[in-house]
Amino acid sequence: MEIDIAVRESDDRRLKTKYKNAIYVIQRAFALYSVDEVAFSFNGGKDSTVLLHLLRAGYYLHKAEKIGCNGDLMDGEIAYPIRTIYFESASAFPEINSFTYETAKSYGLQMEIIRLDFKAGLEALLKAKPIRAIFLGVRIGDPTAVGQEQFSPSSPGWPPFMRVNPILDWSYRDVWSFLLTCKVRYCSLYDEGYTSIGSVHDTVPNGLLCIRDSSNPEGKFRPAYLLADGRLERAGRVKKNSSPPCGQLASVSNGLKSRDLSWHSMLTASIIAVGDEILFGTVEDKLGSSLCRRLHSIGWTVSQLAVTRNDIDSVADEVVKRKSTNDMVFIYGGIGPLHSDVTLAGVAKAFGVRTAPDEEFEEYLRHLIGEKCTGDRNEMAQLPEGITELLHHEQLPVPLIKCHNVIILSATNVAELDLQWDCLLDLSSSNGLLVLMEPLQSKRLCTNTSDVEAAQPLSKLCLEFPDLYIGAYRASRNGPLIITFQGKDQGRIAAATAALSEKVHTGQFSEVD
Ligand SMILES: Cc1cc2nc3c(=O)[nH]c(=O)nc-3n(C[C@H](O)[C@H](O)[C@H](O)COP(=O)(O)O)c2cc1C
Ligand SMILES: Nc1ncnc2c1ncn2[C@@H]1O[C@H](COP(=O)(O)OP(=O)(O)OP(=O)(O)O)[C@@H](O)[C@H]1O
Ligand SMILES: [Mg+2]
């Protein structure tokens, strides 16, 4: 079966685990209900496309097991009989509608088109058919997932049936890993920057995927699978006239600050070092400055470099402060099995979730440290539940951990950080984890001009070049003044340095490497 083979042959262990668990839920449903009693609610969206293929694989494996042929059946030997329901609406995107119909045709789905609202449609359906369970592509994070489990009876007031949610615990990136690994077709709108699709009245492409440059003055969109932060999947769910998709994002419902997130704007990161010893002054933090340089080299701005104690509440407070005002937060220190290693618990607390054993991570650790675990479960494998993504790279013995927009680095020195950073960049080229911006250009001038003489011209220069960062510092109180210029455009930096030497006639300026 092509889906099962594609996942089995992939080296994405997280995907394999998610797939295995989803297939388990599907097989449980097939054990509980007969084929006539189940239906699949399909609407051409990415989540329901994932579910379609999982159901095909699940049904195939269920059948093959029953027949006892160890999965050696040809795909065509098993007809897929699951009833498929589509609530067709006049306000659906035509691309979604045609994709739904074409998919039904390609896979021989028995489609039932319902042109009523969900509740009335389900009432009519259940009256006419013996349906007891309906498969849905609902995922945690969807507004409708609140309070749901993999098997959840329909809500009070709704006709009685079991909602079966095999991909409830899948993340945005799991969905794309599956669709891309299995090389299955998905609706073309996802290649045009749509990341979650409602109706034509409330859905626009996701502004975070907008590219606007001289060759695309109107703005063009990158594909949905390149969205780095799955939390922002629904950022395109806005009223069409209230928010231009490419440029200012008027509001992002999940609490990110309102601000310009266009392609040209800066992406900001915050860095948190966890370590009592740094605060005692006995250990020097070298990772922070190294990470700042690396972020600058990919055009990101670092808004803060904080040091916090090895204490769950201190870590949680710092993460809470930083996660909503930065595109990405990097945290290191306090990772491991020791009493002071509380960083993951702090991150979990910041997101209001508990930590729970992560089977996949545990397996990596077992490869690395054998069975030397503490307690009956390896405490290092306790990760924030439901929000953890493991970032695998062949050069890393253990994957890095990402919780929404917080990346947890396990590096303890600069060499380890270099390796982890290179792996992050490598992963970013395929999955858009970190958006690589044009590197920031910088120039430093050294001058013997006094502070008093330089102060006013520099203030004026800042007003004339608001697109540049212009700063100044001294290495010693009586030594030369160093003036720093930083920005995206080398030409603007050259213009600013020329303007400065015109304003300060008395001083000599020389460039510092
Ligand atoms: C097959 C199916 C079953 C549903 N069952 C329920 C339910 O039991 N309770 C409920 O409140 N909504 C139910 N809904 C409605 C959804 O929760 C949700 O309102 C709908 O998917 C609209 O989402 P949207 O507003 O993002 O388009 C169901 C929808 C479908 C398609
Ligand atoms: N019009 C519909 N007809 C049939 N099923 C639907 C319809 N709308 C929603 N559903 C069901 O609800 C699930 C969740 O819908 P949701 O819009 O969150 O996901 P999606 O459409 O699959 O993907 P996306 O998040 O990209 O829009 C779908 O996967 C599908 O099972
Ligand atoms: Mg949808």
Side-chain angles (χ1 to χ4, degrees):
M1 203 285 160
E2 81 281 6
I3 299 295
D4 195 57
I5 294 171
V7 176
R8 266 195 282 138
E9 286 183 350
S10 121
D11 53 12
D12 184 340
R13 288 160 75 167
R14 178 183 168 94
L15 179 63
K16 283 183 206 264
T17 309
K18 295 279 167 182
Y19 172 79
K20 199 177 89 196
N21 292 343
I23 293 288
Y24 176 76
V25 173
I26 290 168
Q27 296 201 320
R28 286 291 307 143
F30 288 146
L32 289 168
Y33 308 101
S34 71
V35 165
D36 286 348
E37 291 173 331
V38 299
F40 161 46
S41 196
F42 180 56
N43 68 338
K46 63 179 187 312
D47 305 327
S48 62
T49 303
V50 167
L51 186 51
L52 165 66
H53 295 290
L54 289 173
L55 282 170
R56 290 179 52 240
Y59 184 74
Y60 174 91
L61 294 169
H62 167 76
K63 252 338 223 200
E65 202 173 280
K66 260 188 155 178
I67 301 169
C69 67
N70 299 328
D72 292 336
L73 282 171
M74 298 294 287
D75 290 3
E77 286 180 49
I78 294 185
Y80 171 86
I82 312 295
R83 180 177 285 127
T84 304
I85 51 176
Y86 173 40
F87 293 83
E88 191 172 326
S89 135
S91 59
F93 282 88
E95 290 89 340
I96 277 281
N97 216 22
S98 49
F99 174 76
T100 306
Y101 278 93
E102 281 160 23
T103 307
K105 196 164 168 224
S106 322
Y107 295 102
L109 306 183
Q110 297 179 30
M111 276 265 276
E112 303 198 13
I113 313 293
I114 304 177
R115 294 195 177 87
L116 293 169
D117 66 53
F118 292 132
K119 210 170 179 185
L122 289 168
E123 267 160 12
L125 183 76
L126 265 65
K127 245 185 219 152
K129 309 270 158 60
I131 289 170
R132 293 175 60 207
I134 303 182
F135 289 103
L136 288 140
V138 170
R139 289 191 291 114
I140 285 228
D142 290 348
T144 59
V146 177
Q148 287 210 55
E149 312 257 337
Q150 281 154 333
F151 287 81
S152 274
S154 52
S155 316
W158 284 68
F161 58 90
M162 184 62 81
R163 287 177 286 179
V164 186
N165 304 311
I167 59 165
L168 191 65
D169 66 335
W170 285 42
S171 69
Y172 182 79
R173 290 219 294 128
D174 294 331
V175 165
W176 283 110
S177 303
F178 179 84
L179 294 173
L180 299 176
T181 300
C182 296
K183 299 191 176 66
V184 289
R185 262 195 73 202
Y186 52 82
C187 176
S188 59
L189 290 176
Y190 293 109
D191 280 335
E192 293 165 25
Y194 289 82
T195 49
S196 171
I197 303 177
S199 79
V200 288
H201 304 300
D202 68 5
T203 312
V204 293
N206 191 323
L208 290 150
L209 291 170
C210 180
I211 312 167
R212 215 173 18 180
D213 53 28
S214 47
S215 55
N216 296 298
E218 293 294 297
K220 156 179 150 185
F221 291 86
R222 298 186 301 146
Y225 59 81
L226 289 181
L227 183 73
D229 184 352
R231 260 183 337 160
L232 298 171
E233 167 181 357
R234 294 177 71 87
R237 293 292 195 101
V238 285
K239 290 270 168 274
K240 262 198 167 163
N241 298 327
S242 67
S243 174
C246 211
Q248 290 287 123
L249 265 185
S251 65
V252 177
S253 55
N254 65 9
L256 265 198
K257 66 181 179 177
S258 290
R259 66 205 163 99
D260 188 1
L261 286 166
S262 71
W263 186 242
H264 276 306
S265 68
M266 292 284 190
L267 288 169
T268 60
S270 187
I271 301 171
I272 305 172
V274 181
D276 288 335
E277 286 79 0
I278 304 173
L279 293 169
F280 298 155
T282 48
V283 167
E284 196 186 337
D285 170 37
K286 295 197 176 117
L287 272 62
S289 48
S290 181
L291 199 49
C292 286
R293 276 195 297 279
R294 291 172 175 286
L295 282 158
H296 264 191
S297 74
I298 60 161
W300 283 53
T301 303
V302 178
S303 68
Q304 238 233 345
L305 171 53
V307 182
T308 186
R309 295 180 39 219
N310 294 72
D311 164 77
I312 295 180
D313 287 329
S314 307
V315 172
D317 287 350
E318 204 56 49
V319 173
V320 165
K321 271 191 250 159
R322 306 293 153 220
K323 71 184 171 64
S324 54
T325 48
N326 286 274
D327 297 291
M328 204 62 93
V329 177
F330 293 87
I331 187 164
Y332 54 84
I335 314 285
L338 305 175
H339 69 283
S340 54
D341 291 327
V342 296
T343 298
L344 284 160
V347 172
K349 187 162 185 187
F351 285 102
V353 300
R354 52 178 202 155
T355 55
D358 185 298
E359 278 173 36
E360 192 191 353
F361 197 67
E362 206 162 19
E363 205 179 312
Y364 276 102
L365 289 176
R366 202 168 291 124
H367 274 285
L368 196 69
I369 56 175
E371 298 295 333
K372 289 183 223 140
C373 307
T374 51
D376 56 355
R377 292 213 83 115
N378 189 339
E379 281 166 27
M380 279 169 77
Q382 299 271 340
L383 304 184
E385 192 178 31
I387 58 168
T388 293
E389 282 181 45
L390 296 183
L391 308 174
H392 312 266
H393 191 285
E394 56 191 17
Q395 298 217 29
L396 296 176
V398 174
L400 297 176
I401 298 164
K402 176 169 173 279
C403 297
H404 293 308
N405 66 334
V406 178
I407 294 182
I408 297 130
L409 298 166
S410 53
T412 57
N413 60 36
V414 173
E416 288 168 10
L417 179 73
D418 285 349
L419 173 66
Q420 295 184 2
W421 178 260
D422 290 343
C423 294
L424 280 178
L425 287 194
D426 202 21
L427 292 172
S428 300
S429 61
S430 58
N431 66 13
L433 180 69
L434 290 175
V435 176
L436 308 192
M437 312 276 284
E438 252 174 74
L440 289 169
Q441 309 290 332
S442 60
K443 190 167 181 171
R444 284 189 301 163
L445 294 183
C446 171
T447 177
N448 52 4
T449 309
S450 76
D451 287 7
V452 178
E453 279 172 300
Q456 221 184 27
L458 274 176
S459 301
K460 283 194 182 146
L461 201 67
C462 291
L463 294 175
E464 282 168 35
F465 292 87
D467 54 323
L468 297 183
Y469 166 82
I470 302 173
Y473 68 92
R474 305 179 163 281
S476 71
R477 194 30 67 199
N478 300 317
L481 184 67
I482 316 282
I483 302 170
T484 313
F485 297 86
Q486 205 162 67
K488 295 235 153 170
D489 185 341
Q490 194 77 59
R492 290 286 291 163
I493 293 178
T497 54
L500 180 65
S501 27
E502 268 184 24
K503 285 183 204 300
V504 188
H505 309 286
T506 49
Q508 300 260 319
F509 292 94
S510 56
E511 196 167 336
V512 188
D513 292 335

